[in-house]
Short mmCIF file of all heavy atoms in Angstrom, two decimals:
data_model
loop_
_atom_site.label_atom_id
_atom_site.label_comp_id
_atom_site.label_asym_id
_atom_site.label_seq_id
_atom_site.Cartn_x
_atom_site.Cartn_y
_atom_site.Cartn_z
N GLU A 1375 137.64 311.32 186.70
CA GLU A 1375 137.22 310.45 185.44
C GLU A 1375 138.29 309.32 185.36
O GLU A 1375 137.98 308.26 184.89
CB GLU A 1375 137.34 311.40 184.20
CG GLU A 1375 136.20 312.38 184.00
CD GLU A 1375 134.93 311.67 183.98
OE1 GLU A 1375 134.80 310.55 183.26
OE2 GLU A 1375 133.99 312.07 184.56
N GLN A 1376 139.57 309.54 185.71
CA GLN A 1376 140.55 308.62 185.60
C GLN A 1376 140.13 307.42 186.58
O GLN A 1376 140.40 306.25 186.36
CB GLN A 1376 141.94 309.15 185.84
CG GLN A 1376 142.30 310.12 184.73
CD GLN A 1376 143.48 310.97 185.07
OE1 GLN A 1376 143.77 311.22 186.10
NE2 GLN A 1376 144.13 311.48 183.99
N VAL A 1377 139.97 307.77 187.78
CA VAL A 1377 139.52 306.76 188.74
C VAL A 1377 138.31 305.97 188.42
O VAL A 1377 138.21 304.83 188.56
CB VAL A 1377 139.46 307.38 190.15
CG1 VAL A 1377 138.96 306.45 191.22
CG2 VAL A 1377 140.76 308.06 190.59
N LEU A 1378 137.29 306.72 187.82
CA LEU A 1378 136.07 305.97 187.37
C LEU A 1378 136.41 305.03 186.31
O LEU A 1378 135.97 303.79 186.28
CB LEU A 1378 135.04 307.04 186.92
CG LEU A 1378 133.82 306.41 186.34
CD1 LEU A 1378 133.00 305.76 187.46
CD2 LEU A 1378 132.97 307.51 185.74
N GLU A 1379 137.28 305.25 185.42
CA GLU A 1379 137.64 304.41 184.38
C GLU A 1379 138.47 303.21 185.07
O GLU A 1379 138.28 302.04 184.72
CB GLU A 1379 138.69 305.07 183.38
CG GLU A 1379 139.05 304.09 182.23
CD GLU A 1379 137.99 303.48 181.46
OE1 GLU A 1379 136.89 304.09 181.35
OE2 GLU A 1379 138.16 302.40 181.02
N LEU A 1380 139.24 303.43 186.06
CA LEU A 1380 139.88 302.38 186.79
C LEU A 1380 138.95 301.41 187.40
O LEU A 1380 139.05 300.22 187.38
CB LEU A 1380 140.83 303.07 187.87
CG LEU A 1380 141.66 302.14 188.72
CD1 LEU A 1380 142.81 303.00 189.41
CD2 LEU A 1380 140.88 301.54 189.91
N THR A 1381 137.76 302.00 187.99
CA THR A 1381 136.84 301.10 188.56
C THR A 1381 136.22 300.25 187.68
O THR A 1381 135.64 299.13 187.85
CB THR A 1381 135.77 301.84 189.34
OG1 THR A 1381 135.06 302.66 188.50
CG2 THR A 1381 136.41 302.86 190.43
N ARG A 1382 136.00 300.83 186.38
CA ARG A 1382 135.36 299.98 185.31
C ARG A 1382 136.28 298.83 184.82
O ARG A 1382 135.82 297.82 184.35
CB ARG A 1382 134.94 300.84 184.13
CG ARG A 1382 133.83 301.83 184.52
CD ARG A 1382 133.46 302.90 183.46
NE ARG A 1382 132.32 303.67 183.79
CZ ARG A 1382 131.93 304.64 183.19
NH1 ARG A 1382 132.64 305.17 182.15
NH2 ARG A 1382 130.78 305.39 183.52
N GLN A 1383 137.53 298.93 184.94
CA GLN A 1383 138.47 298.01 184.53
C GLN A 1383 138.75 296.85 185.56
O GLN A 1383 139.28 295.90 185.14
CB GLN A 1383 139.83 298.62 184.22
CG GLN A 1383 139.73 299.55 183.02
CD GLN A 1383 141.07 300.23 182.59
OE1 GLN A 1383 142.09 299.67 182.84
NE2 GLN A 1383 141.10 301.32 182.08
N THR A 1384 138.16 296.97 186.78
CA THR A 1384 138.39 295.95 187.76
C THR A 1384 137.64 294.76 187.42
O THR A 1384 138.18 293.51 187.81
CB THR A 1384 137.95 296.39 189.05
OG1 THR A 1384 136.48 296.67 189.08
CG2 THR A 1384 138.65 297.73 189.64
N GLY A 1385 136.60 294.74 186.71
CA GLY A 1385 135.73 293.61 186.38
C GLY A 1385 134.79 293.16 187.53
O GLY A 1385 134.09 292.27 187.42
N ILE A 1386 134.80 293.94 188.62
CA ILE A 1386 133.87 293.62 189.66
C ILE A 1386 132.40 293.86 189.32
O ILE A 1386 131.52 292.97 189.63
CB ILE A 1386 134.17 294.35 190.99
CG1 ILE A 1386 135.72 294.10 191.40
CG2 ILE A 1386 133.34 294.04 192.14
CD1 ILE A 1386 136.29 294.88 192.62
N GLY A 1387 132.25 295.06 188.72
CA GLY A 1387 130.89 295.35 188.17
C GLY A 1387 129.98 295.58 189.35
O GLY A 1387 130.34 295.81 190.48
N ALA A 1388 128.68 295.53 188.98
CA ALA A 1388 127.59 295.89 189.98
C ALA A 1388 127.25 294.58 190.75
O ALA A 1388 126.22 293.97 190.48
CB ALA A 1388 126.38 296.40 189.31
N GLN A 1389 128.32 294.10 191.42
CA GLN A 1389 128.22 292.96 192.35
C GLN A 1389 128.67 291.63 191.87
O GLN A 1389 129.36 290.88 192.52
CB GLN A 1389 126.76 292.83 193.07
CG GLN A 1389 126.43 294.12 193.72
CD GLN A 1389 125.22 294.07 194.57
OE1 GLN A 1389 124.83 292.94 195.10
NE2 GLN A 1389 124.42 295.06 194.70
N PHE A 1390 128.43 291.33 190.50
CA PHE A 1390 128.70 289.99 190.02
C PHE A 1390 129.47 289.97 188.63
O PHE A 1390 129.13 289.10 187.76
CB PHE A 1390 127.36 289.13 190.08
CG PHE A 1390 126.76 288.95 191.41
CD1 PHE A 1390 125.65 289.86 191.60
CD2 PHE A 1390 127.27 288.30 192.25
CE1 PHE A 1390 125.00 289.77 192.83
CE2 PHE A 1390 126.66 288.19 193.63
CZ PHE A 1390 125.54 288.93 193.88
N GLY A 1391 130.28 290.93 188.43
CA GLY A 1391 131.01 291.02 187.23
C GLY A 1391 130.47 291.92 186.29
O GLY A 1391 129.21 291.89 186.08
N GLY A 1392 131.37 292.74 185.78
CA GLY A 1392 130.93 293.83 184.75
C GLY A 1392 131.69 295.04 184.81
O GLY A 1392 132.90 295.13 185.35
N LYS A 1393 130.96 296.15 184.43
CA LYS A 1393 131.70 297.35 184.22
C LYS A 1393 131.29 298.38 185.48
O LYS A 1393 132.10 299.26 185.82
CB LYS A 1393 131.23 297.98 182.93
CG LYS A 1393 131.51 299.48 182.63
CD LYS A 1393 130.95 299.86 181.35
CE LYS A 1393 131.10 301.33 181.12
NZ LYS A 1393 130.61 301.77 179.76
N TYR A 1394 130.06 298.10 186.04
CA TYR A 1394 129.43 299.24 187.00
C TYR A 1394 129.75 298.96 188.45
O TYR A 1394 128.74 298.94 189.22
CB TYR A 1394 128.03 299.48 186.55
CG TYR A 1394 127.86 300.25 185.38
CD1 TYR A 1394 127.63 299.71 184.22
CD2 TYR A 1394 127.92 301.68 185.27
CE1 TYR A 1394 127.42 300.41 183.05
CE2 TYR A 1394 127.69 302.39 184.25
CZ TYR A 1394 127.55 301.76 183.07
OH TYR A 1394 127.27 302.49 181.83
N PHE A 1395 131.11 298.95 188.80
CA PHE A 1395 131.45 298.92 190.25
C PHE A 1395 131.00 300.34 190.86
O PHE A 1395 130.59 300.27 192.04
CB PHE A 1395 132.85 298.68 190.30
CG PHE A 1395 133.28 298.44 191.79
CD1 PHE A 1395 132.65 297.51 192.56
CD2 PHE A 1395 134.35 299.13 192.26
CE1 PHE A 1395 133.03 297.23 193.97
CE2 PHE A 1395 134.84 298.83 193.55
CZ PHE A 1395 134.26 298.01 194.39
N CYS A 1396 131.13 301.44 190.05
CA CYS A 1396 130.70 302.66 190.66
C CYS A 1396 129.94 303.46 189.62
O CYS A 1396 130.12 303.32 188.44
CB CYS A 1396 132.03 303.44 190.96
SG CYS A 1396 133.09 302.82 192.19
N HIS A 1397 128.94 304.17 190.17
CA HIS A 1397 128.28 305.23 189.31
C HIS A 1397 129.11 306.23 188.80
O HIS A 1397 129.06 306.77 187.87
CB HIS A 1397 127.04 305.70 190.00
CG HIS A 1397 125.80 304.78 190.09
ND1 HIS A 1397 125.19 304.15 189.05
CD2 HIS A 1397 125.20 304.26 191.19
CE1 HIS A 1397 124.26 303.36 189.44
NE2 HIS A 1397 124.22 303.41 190.72
N ASP A 1398 129.83 306.80 189.90
CA ASP A 1398 130.53 308.07 189.71
C ASP A 1398 131.67 308.15 190.91
O ASP A 1398 131.70 307.28 191.81
CB ASP A 1398 129.69 309.32 189.73
CG ASP A 1398 128.68 309.37 190.87
OD1 ASP A 1398 129.01 308.95 192.01
OD2 ASP A 1398 127.56 309.68 190.67
N VAL A 1399 132.58 309.16 190.68
CA VAL A 1399 133.62 309.28 191.77
C VAL A 1399 133.73 310.86 191.93
O VAL A 1399 133.65 311.66 191.13
CB VAL A 1399 135.00 308.79 191.01
CG1 VAL A 1399 136.02 308.95 192.00
CG2 VAL A 1399 134.89 307.24 190.70
N ARG A 1400 134.02 311.13 193.22
CA ARG A 1400 134.33 312.49 193.62
C ARG A 1400 135.79 312.32 194.25
O ARG A 1400 136.06 311.54 195.20
CB ARG A 1400 133.33 312.93 194.66
CG ARG A 1400 131.92 313.04 194.23
CD ARG A 1400 131.72 314.13 193.18
NE ARG A 1400 130.33 314.13 192.91
CZ ARG A 1400 129.72 313.53 191.84
NH1 ARG A 1400 130.37 312.58 191.00
NH2 ARG A 1400 128.55 313.86 191.57
N VAL A 1401 136.61 313.15 193.85
CA VAL A 1401 137.98 313.30 194.45
C VAL A 1401 138.08 314.84 194.88
O VAL A 1401 138.08 315.70 194.12
CB VAL A 1401 139.04 313.01 193.33
CG1 VAL A 1401 140.55 313.17 194.00
CG2 VAL A 1401 139.05 311.61 192.89
N VAL A 1402 138.36 314.97 196.18
CA VAL A 1402 138.61 316.24 196.77
C VAL A 1402 139.99 316.28 197.36
O VAL A 1402 140.48 315.40 197.97
CB VAL A 1402 137.64 316.45 197.96
CG1 VAL A 1402 137.96 317.75 198.62
CG2 VAL A 1402 136.11 316.42 197.52
N ARG A 1403 140.74 317.32 196.99
CA ARG A 1403 142.07 317.59 197.50
C ARG A 1403 141.98 318.71 198.56
O ARG A 1403 141.39 319.73 198.38
CB ARG A 1403 142.98 318.26 196.19
CG ARG A 1403 144.38 318.46 196.71
CD ARG A 1403 145.10 317.02 197.02
NE ARG A 1403 146.60 317.29 196.83
CZ ARG A 1403 147.44 317.70 197.88
NH1 ARG A 1403 146.91 317.95 199.09
NH2 ARG A 1403 148.61 317.74 197.68
N LEU A 1404 142.60 318.42 199.60
CA LEU A 1404 142.59 319.32 200.79
C LEU A 1404 144.06 319.76 201.11
O LEU A 1404 145.01 319.07 200.75
CB LEU A 1404 141.92 318.77 202.08
CG LEU A 1404 140.52 318.34 201.99
CD1 LEU A 1404 139.93 317.63 203.34
CD2 LEU A 1404 139.63 319.60 201.72
N PRO A 1405 144.21 320.86 201.82
CA PRO A 1405 145.50 321.23 202.36
C PRO A 1405 145.88 320.30 203.49
O PRO A 1405 145.13 319.38 203.94
CB PRO A 1405 145.28 322.57 202.95
CG PRO A 1405 143.75 322.58 203.27
CD PRO A 1405 143.18 321.90 202.26
N ARG A 1406 147.20 320.30 203.75
CA ARG A 1406 147.70 319.20 204.75
C ARG A 1406 148.93 319.72 205.46
O ARG A 1406 149.53 320.80 204.97
CB ARG A 1406 148.11 318.04 203.94
CG ARG A 1406 149.36 318.10 203.07
CD ARG A 1406 149.63 316.93 202.35
NE ARG A 1406 150.99 317.06 201.55
CZ ARG A 1406 152.16 316.66 201.87
NH1 ARG A 1406 152.22 316.09 203.10
NH2 ARG A 1406 153.18 316.83 201.23
N HIS A 1407 149.15 319.20 206.62
CA HIS A 1407 150.47 319.51 207.20
C HIS A 1407 151.59 318.83 206.37
O HIS A 1407 151.42 317.71 205.80
CB HIS A 1407 150.42 319.00 208.64
CG HIS A 1407 151.65 319.26 209.50
ND1 HIS A 1407 152.91 318.56 209.28
CD2 HIS A 1407 151.91 320.03 210.56
CE1 HIS A 1407 153.68 318.98 210.09
NE2 HIS A 1407 153.23 319.92 210.88
N GLY A 1408 152.73 319.37 206.33
CA GLY A 1408 153.78 318.89 205.49
C GLY A 1408 154.23 317.45 205.84
O GLY A 1408 154.83 316.73 204.98
N ALA A 1409 154.12 317.16 207.11
CA ALA A 1409 154.49 315.83 207.55
C ALA A 1409 153.41 314.72 207.53
O ALA A 1409 153.57 313.68 207.85
CB ALA A 1409 155.06 315.91 208.97
N SER A 1410 152.21 315.09 206.93
CA SER A 1410 151.05 314.23 206.97
C SER A 1410 150.29 314.15 205.59
O SER A 1410 150.28 315.18 205.03
CB SER A 1410 149.99 314.59 208.08
OG SER A 1410 150.68 314.59 209.35
N LEU A 1411 149.85 313.06 205.21
CA LEU A 1411 149.01 313.06 204.11
C LEU A 1411 147.90 311.93 204.22
O LEU A 1411 148.01 310.95 203.87
CB LEU A 1411 149.85 312.56 202.81
CG LEU A 1411 149.08 312.63 201.48
CD1 LEU A 1411 148.47 313.88 201.15
CD2 LEU A 1411 149.85 312.03 200.32
N PRO A 1412 146.84 312.33 205.07
CA PRO A 1412 145.66 311.43 205.11
C PRO A 1412 145.05 311.19 203.81
O PRO A 1412 144.95 312.15 203.00
CB PRO A 1412 144.83 312.09 206.10
CG PRO A 1412 145.14 313.62 206.07
CD PRO A 1412 146.58 313.68 205.69
N VAL A 1413 144.59 310.05 203.54
CA VAL A 1413 143.88 309.69 202.39
C VAL A 1413 142.66 308.99 202.91
O VAL A 1413 142.68 307.93 203.65
CB VAL A 1413 144.46 308.84 201.35
CG1 VAL A 1413 143.56 308.51 200.20
CG2 VAL A 1413 145.72 309.58 200.82
N ALA A 1414 141.39 309.51 202.55
CA ALA A 1414 140.09 308.83 203.19
C ALA A 1414 139.32 308.45 201.90
O ALA A 1414 139.40 309.12 200.81
CB ALA A 1414 139.29 309.84 203.92
N ILE A 1415 138.81 307.27 202.17
CA ILE A 1415 137.93 306.71 201.01
C ILE A 1415 136.44 306.36 201.73
O ILE A 1415 136.44 305.77 202.81
CB ILE A 1415 138.50 305.46 200.45
CG1 ILE A 1415 139.75 305.80 199.67
CG2 ILE A 1415 137.40 304.81 199.52
CD1 ILE A 1415 140.45 304.65 199.13
N ALA A 1416 135.46 306.69 201.09
CA ALA A 1416 134.09 306.39 201.53
C ALA A 1416 133.14 306.06 200.32
O ALA A 1416 133.36 306.52 199.30
CB ALA A 1416 133.43 307.55 202.42
N VAL A 1417 132.06 305.45 200.63
CA VAL A 1417 131.21 305.14 199.54
C VAL A 1417 129.63 305.41 200.10
O VAL A 1417 129.40 305.38 201.18
CB VAL A 1417 131.07 303.60 199.09
CG1 VAL A 1417 132.55 303.34 198.47
CG2 VAL A 1417 130.74 302.71 200.22
#
C-alpha cells in the first residue's frame, strides 16, 4: 500500500500525467544469503 501511494505521487499517471501509474503493487520478501540482497522489479 505504501509503494502504491508512492507511485500515485510521482505524477507520471497512466502515461501522460496523473495518479494511475500503477493499478496495484505486489511486494514479496524472500530469504537471502547474508552477504547478498537481490531486489527484482517487474511489471
Side-chain angles (χ1 to χ4, degrees):
E1375 288 299 317
Q1376 292 164 339
V1377 174
L1378 180 61
E1379 181 58 30
L1380 182 154
T1381 68
R1382 290 173 172 171
Q1383 294 179 27
T1384 64
I1386 299 173
Q1389 305 189 29
F1390 302 104
K1393 170 182 175 182
Y1394 281 96
F1395 187 50
C1396 294
H1397 284 304
D1398 49 41
V1399 176
R1400 301 292 185 270
V1401 177
V1402 177
R1403 182 68 158 91
L1404 293 179
R1406 68 185 185 95
H1407 184 287
S1410 301
L1411 182 61
V1413 178
I1415 296 177
V1417 299

